[in-house]
Amino acid sequence: AVDPFAGDGVIAQMLPKLQFRLYDIAPAGEGVTMRDSLKRFPRADLCITNPPYLSTASAASLGVRLPLGVKGDLYIFCLEACLSNSRYVAAILPLSFISKTKRYPRLATVIELTNVCFVNAPF
């Protein structure tokens, strides 16, 4: 399995039976390799991730340069990269995703999480 936006690797810690390759542009945990997955996305049969959420408007106001081709929300760009490079994808997305007009035929299930899953989550 791969987590292209691993941060501190908490998803891999939650799924210890899987062997993960962990990447992040700013690694924050042990075993996470530095890699800009937006520019060079890793291929894998299984991708499990929590992609970055940032709108183009927010990025502009923060002075963050998004990759070419990103229009709208960064997490949509990341989801499409996951779907293009992995056979199976599990992604944690904002609930507002279900109201998006674009449909993704490979997405079969939406599960609404009603509790906090990350111990150190700031929300």
Side-chain angles (χ1 to χ4, degrees), residues 3-102:
D3 184 347
F5 311 105
D8 62 1
V10 71
I11 289 177
Q13 293 168 21
M14 294 171 67
L15 301 167
K17 291 184 180 182
L18 294 176
Q19 292 284 1
F20 271 89
R21 289 180 292 134
L22 305 172
Y23 302 105
D24 200 278
I25 195 167
E30 189 175 319
V32 182
T33 301
M34 182 186 288
R35 180 178 185 152
D36 185 347
S37 294
L38 296 176
K39 291 182 180 174
R40 196 169 61 101
F41 203 90
R43 291 189 166 276
D45 272 350
L46 174 60
C47 176
I48 303 174
T49 193
N50 183 10
Y53 310 140
L54 189 64
S55 69
T56 51
S58 296
S61 69
L62 294 171
V64 174
R65 294 186 67 175
L66 297 178
L68 291 176
V70 175
K71 296 176 183 148
D73 292 313
L74 181 58
Y75 80 88
I76 295 290
F77 180 88
C78 296
L79 174 64
E80 290 173 353
C82 292
L83 291 168
S84 295
N85 290 284
S86 301
R87 187 172 179 186
Y88 302 100
V89 175
I92 300 168
L93 304 173
L95 194 55
S96 61
F97 173 75
I98 61 174
S99 66
K100 296 286 183 192
T101 56
K102 183 172 181 180

